[in-house]
Amino acid sequence: MVCTIASANCVSAVQRTPCLDSDERNKAYVPYHKLSHDEMVRLRLHDTLINVVIVTYMMGGYVAALYLIMCTNSLMTLIAATILLMHTMIVALTLTHECSHSCIAQSTWLNHVVGEITLVISGALYVPFTELQRQHNEHHAVQVGIDSYQVSHILSTWPRWLQILILPLEACYIPVLSFISWWRTLIVPLYVHKYQHLRKRIVIVFVLRHTFFYTMWCIRPTSLVCYFAAHVLFIDVMRVYDAYHHTFQIVSRGTLPPKHDFDYEQQTTYSTVFGRNTLTRRMLDMIFLNYGYHNAHHRYPRVPWHRLQELDAIMYPKSNGHVIRLPAALKEYHRRRIDRITQKRGDSFGKPKLNPAKDADSLLINDYIGVVMNISSLVLDVDDYSLQRH
């Protein structure tokens, strides 16, 4: 039950974090159980077989899906192939994330190789894996959201006519702002000097990737429609997951606040999951490689994806005060999908709240709008000096 917040231990934990103001504090927070040395060693072990199976599925599923959308005439097969293609993209992004923390293998070289392969499938291959790895680990180190191009805020600064064009598309789940942000990552390095080391790769990959798209078009024009649909669904799914993971500050690069402690991080982090209460819920979370177990991941980022459910159960054995159930998240994501992208800088996104219902197993998010940010394992956050001066 969520209302275990009433314990004295929880009050003392809040008092130990003076930098946490009332807008950020999770009133349902219960201090987590810290792992023993033996537990940490056991949970950080890599399972080679599981990782080989999931990497093989990702690569094989991606190739099979591409073949089917280019070579089949059956409508049902096209739909199934599009869903498979979307899922391999989701798995690829999740494995990019795993490789960023060296959770796929003991070998740094092997993590790097798998990381580069995942970028091809997710579409993030315009920049080196090491750049995305550095960016993501920075997010963990400073315990804030670093996003120079804040998707939730940027639309409010644009002309009204442009907002009128974009909002209906976003309302129909076409993630226009995410695509604009992605293209910005390709364009800014072409004229900002400090990103000049990325230019050659961006140009070469752009030519090769669009040559491949042209080949798809020549084989079967509808294959590009299926690919685009899969990519849109992929971005939408990851937006839902990432919208509710944090309530801590979002800052532009170069304006970092002081480093916070682990209590602050846990109280401003939430896990968007189906849940570990039943076998069905656990299996649904496994389909997405336990990506939603964010509290467990942030506290122990070297624990691999297939052990995060167990880690979450150890850290929070009697509390769901950090949990947002995905069915509720989907409902609120849909209801607030326009509010989420029309915020102005300084506006409150709200926060999850204590669920007063008897036997509640998650937080309420009726007043939590959530955020849209660049996904750190997918889009490189680049500074545009002209925008900063503006």
Side-chain angles (χ1 to χ4, degrees), residues 247-285:
T247 55
F248 55 34
Q249 294 172 280
I250 302 175
V251 300
S252 296
R253 191 167 301 283
T255 57
L256 302 182
K259 181 176 172 62
H260 300 292
D261 59 21
F262 289 126
D263 279 332
Y264 171 89
E265 183 176 52
Q266 288 295 304
Q267 290 196 61
T268 55
T269 300
Y270 299 87
S271 295
T272 47
V273 297
F274 289 98
R276 51 182 158 85
N277 305 61
T278 66
L279 178 61
T280 301
R281 284 181 173 184
R282 290 196 295 271
M283 292 300 293
L284 287 170
D285 282 323

Side-chain angles (χ1 to χ4, degrees), residues 54 56-66 81-95 118 121-122 230 234:
I54 198 65
T56 302
Y57 162 78
M58 174 191 70
M59 297 171 64
Y62 183 71
V63 172
L66 288 178
T82 301
I83 294 173
L84 174 60
L85 187 58
M86 171 202 68
H87 189 247
T88 59
M89 292 176 179
I90 293 171
V91 170
L93 175 62
T94 307
L95 291 183
T118 64
I121 297 173
S122 69
F234 158 56

Side-chain angles (χ1 to χ4, degrees), residues 136-172:
H136 181 72
N137 288 333
E138 183 181 31
H139 158 69
H140 278 265
V142 299
Q143 298 165 330
V144 296
I146 304 172
D147 193 352
S148 297
Y149 189 79
Q150 295 177 20
V151 180
S152 287
H153 294 145
I154 196 67
L155 189 63
S156 64
T157 67
W158 289 353
R160 180 63 180 168
W161 65 267
L162 192 54
Q163 296 181 35
I164 292 173
L165 288 177
I166 290 175
L167 287 175
L169 294 172
E170 285 278 353
C172 295

Side-chain angles (χ1 to χ4, degrees), residues 8-288:
N9 288 337
C10 184
V11 174
S12 64
V14 170
Q15 290 174 346
R16 285 198 304 271
T17 314
C19 57
L20 197 66
D21 61 36
S22 59
D23 290 334
E24 297 171 313
R25 183 182 298 123
N26 175 10
K27 294 183 179 179
Y29 172 72
V30 173
Y32 62 91
H33 169 76
K34 296 178 176 61
L35 296 186
S36 67
H37 175 74
D38 290 343
E39 286 174 326
M40 188 178 301
V41 170
R42 179 177 62 83
L43 289 172
R44 288 176 62 173
L45 289 175
H46 300 98
D47 191 316
T48 303
L49 178 61
I50 289 179
N51 286 328
V52 168
V53 168
I54 198 65
V55 171
T56 302
Y57 162 78
M58 174 191 70
M59 297 171 64
Y62 183 71
V63 172
L66 288 178
Y67 173 79
L68 289 173
I69 64 175
M70 287 190 282
C71 301
T72 188
N73 293 315
S74 168
L75 177 61
M76 293 305 296
T77 304
L78 284 174
I79 293 173
T82 301
I83 294 173
L84 174 60
L85 187 58
M86 171 202 68
H87 189 247
T88 59
M89 292 176 179
I90 293 171
V91 170
L93 175 62
T94 307
L95 291 183
T96 303
H97 180 236
E98 290 295 298
C99 291
S100 294
H101 295 291
S102 300
C103 290
I104 292 298
Q106 296 287 352
S107 168
T108 301
W109 175 84
L110 187 54
N111 276 284
H112 182 90
V113 170
V114 175
E116 287 287 355
I117 293 172
T118 64
L119 301 187
V120 175
I121 297 173
S122 69
L125 69 164
Y126 290 98
V127 297
F129 166 73
T130 51
E131 291 282 344
L132 293 174
Q133 182 183 37
R134 173 195 54 76
Q135 171 178 267
H136 181 72
N137 288 333
E138 183 181 31
H139 158 69
H140 278 265
V142 299
Q143 298 165 330
V144 296
I146 304 172
D147 193 352
S148 297
Y149 189 79
Q150 295 177 20
V151 180
S152 287
H153 294 145
I154 196 67
L155 189 63
S156 64
T157 67
W158 289 353
R160 180 63 180 168
W161 65 267
L162 192 54
Q163 296 181 35
I164 292 173
L165 288 177
I166 290 175
L167 287 175
L169 294 172
E170 285 278 353
C172 295
Y173 290 95
I174 307 297
V176 179
L177 292 173
S178 292
F179 288 135
I180 292 173
S181 177
W182 198 332
W183 275 94
R184 178 177 175 272
T185 300
L186 307 185
I187 294 170
V188 169
L190 301 181
Y191 65 88
V192 174
H193 180 72
K194 72 175 181 176
Y195 300 116
Q196 63 177 333
H197 63 287
L198 301 176
R199 293 173 186 171
K200 183 177 179 180
R201 176 166 173 144
I202 288 173
V203 172
I204 292 174
V205 169
F206 183 88
V207 171
L208 292 176
R209 188 167 166 82
H210 286 80
T211 299
F212 176 69
F213 288 154
Y214 177 72
T215 303
M216 291 177 65
W217 172 266
C218 291
I219 295 173
R220 175 165 296 185
T222 54
S223 64
L224 275 183
V225 177
C226 292
Y227 186 93
F228 179 75
H231 200 77
V232 165
L233 290 171
F234 158 56
I235 297 297
D236 283 334
V237 169
M238 301 318 299
R239 269 193 178 189
V240 172
Y241 268 109
D242 277 3
Y244 304 108
H245 273 165
H246 295 291
T247 55
F248 55 34
Q249 294 172 280
I250 302 175
V251 300
S252 296
R253 191 167 301 283
T255 57
L256 302 182
K259 181 176 172 62
H260 300 292
D261 59 21
F262 289 126
D263 279 332
Y264 171 89
E265 183 176 52
Q266 288 295 304
Q267 290 196 61
T268 55
T269 300
Y270 299 87
S271 295
T272 47
V273 297
F274 289 98
R276 51 182 158 85
N277 305 61
T278 66
L279 178 61
T280 301
R281 284 181 173 184
R282 290 196 295 271
M283 292 300 293
L284 287 170
D285 282 323
M286 289 290 283
I287 290 174
F288 300 101

Side-chain angles (χ1 to χ4, degrees), residues 307-320:
R307 300 187 192 276
L308 288 178
Q309 289 185 5
E310 181 183 357
L311 174 58
D312 183 83
I314 293 173
M315 287 178 61
Y316 295 101
K318 298 180 180 180
S319 170
N320 289 302

